[in-house]
Amino acid sequence: MSAQLRDVAGELAGLLWREHTVYRERSGGVVIRGEHVRRWISLAPAGGRGEVLVRAGRILDGGTTAPARSEAVVPLSAGTGVLAAACRRLLAETAADAAPITPGRAAPKRSGRSSRSARSGKAARRGGSGKHTSFGSWVVLACIAGVIALFVYSTATRG
C-alpha cells in the first residue's frame, strides 16, 4: 500500500503544485509539502481496503507544520482527479481557517469548534458579556459556605 501511496502522491503533487516535496512518514503515509503556498497534504492508509485518509494543514514560520485542519477519506479506486478535487477542497478549508480577520468585518461562519476567545453559546444567546457567575459556581460557593458554617457551629458548641 505504501508504494501505491507514493506513486499516487507523486501524480497528485504534480496536479496540485508546481513546486513540491514528497516524502514518506514513519507511519507509512506520504506527505506532500507546498512550501510556496505554505500548505501540506498527507495521505495515509485508512481503515477500509483501498481507502486513503487525506489530511491538510498549514506550514508555519520556520518550516514546522501545524496540526491538520481538515481531513477526508477517499477511495483510491476513484482516481487521481477525484483525489485532487478532495485535496483542493481540504486546502480551501485550511486557507479559510487561516485567513486573517480584518477589523470592522464580520467573521465568516465556520462549522466546528470556535476559538477560545469567542463567547460561549449561552453568553451569545443571553446577550451579555459572558462574565456572569453560572449556577454551578453558585452551588459550589454555597457548599463551601455550608462547610465553613458547620465548622464554626461545631467549634462553638464544644466550647
Side-chain angles (χ1 to χ4, degrees):
M1 181 75 164
S2 65
Q4 185 181 10
L5 275 180
R6 175 86 177 172
D7 294 339
V8 170
E11 293 176 31
L12 186 60
L15 288 174
L16 293 175
W17 301 310
R18 290 184 315 266
E19 303 169 26
H20 57 269
T21 305
V22 179
Y23 61 90
R24 189 180 67 80
E25 291 180 304
R26 279 182 255 152
S27 63
V30 179
V31 176
I32 306 167
R33 286 177 66 110
E35 296 288 339
H36 65 293
V37 291
R38 306 187 57 78
R39 302 283 181 265
W40 60 266
I41 293 281
S42 169
L43 306 174
R49 182 175 289 253
E51 291 182 334
V52 63
L53 174 65
V54 181
R55 298 173 18 181
R58 297 180 308 154
I59 298 175
L60 303 174
D61 293 335
T64 60
T65 57
R69 294 288 212 170
S70 52
E71 59 184 37
V73 176
V74 180
L76 277 176
S77 61
T80 311
V82 172
L83 193 57
C87 289
R88 286 185 183 110
R89 180 180 53 81
L90 294 176
L91 289 168
E93 289 176 9
T94 302
D97 284 347
I101 298 172
T102 56
R105 287 186 50 194
K109 298 256 181 193
R110 290 187 283 168
S111 61
R113 280 191 247 166
S114 60
S115 67
R116 292 181 193 191
S117 63
R119 294 189 315 184
S120 69
K122 287 183 180 180
R125 281 191 303 262
R126 190 170 50 230
S129 64
K131 297 185 187 238
H132 295 286
T133 308
S134 68
F135 178 73
S137 298
W138 284 114
V139 170
V140 169
L141 289 173
C143 289
I144 291 172
V147 168
I148 291 171
L150 184 62
F151 175 74
V152 170
Y153 175 76
S154 66
T155 315
T157 56
R158 287 188 191 168

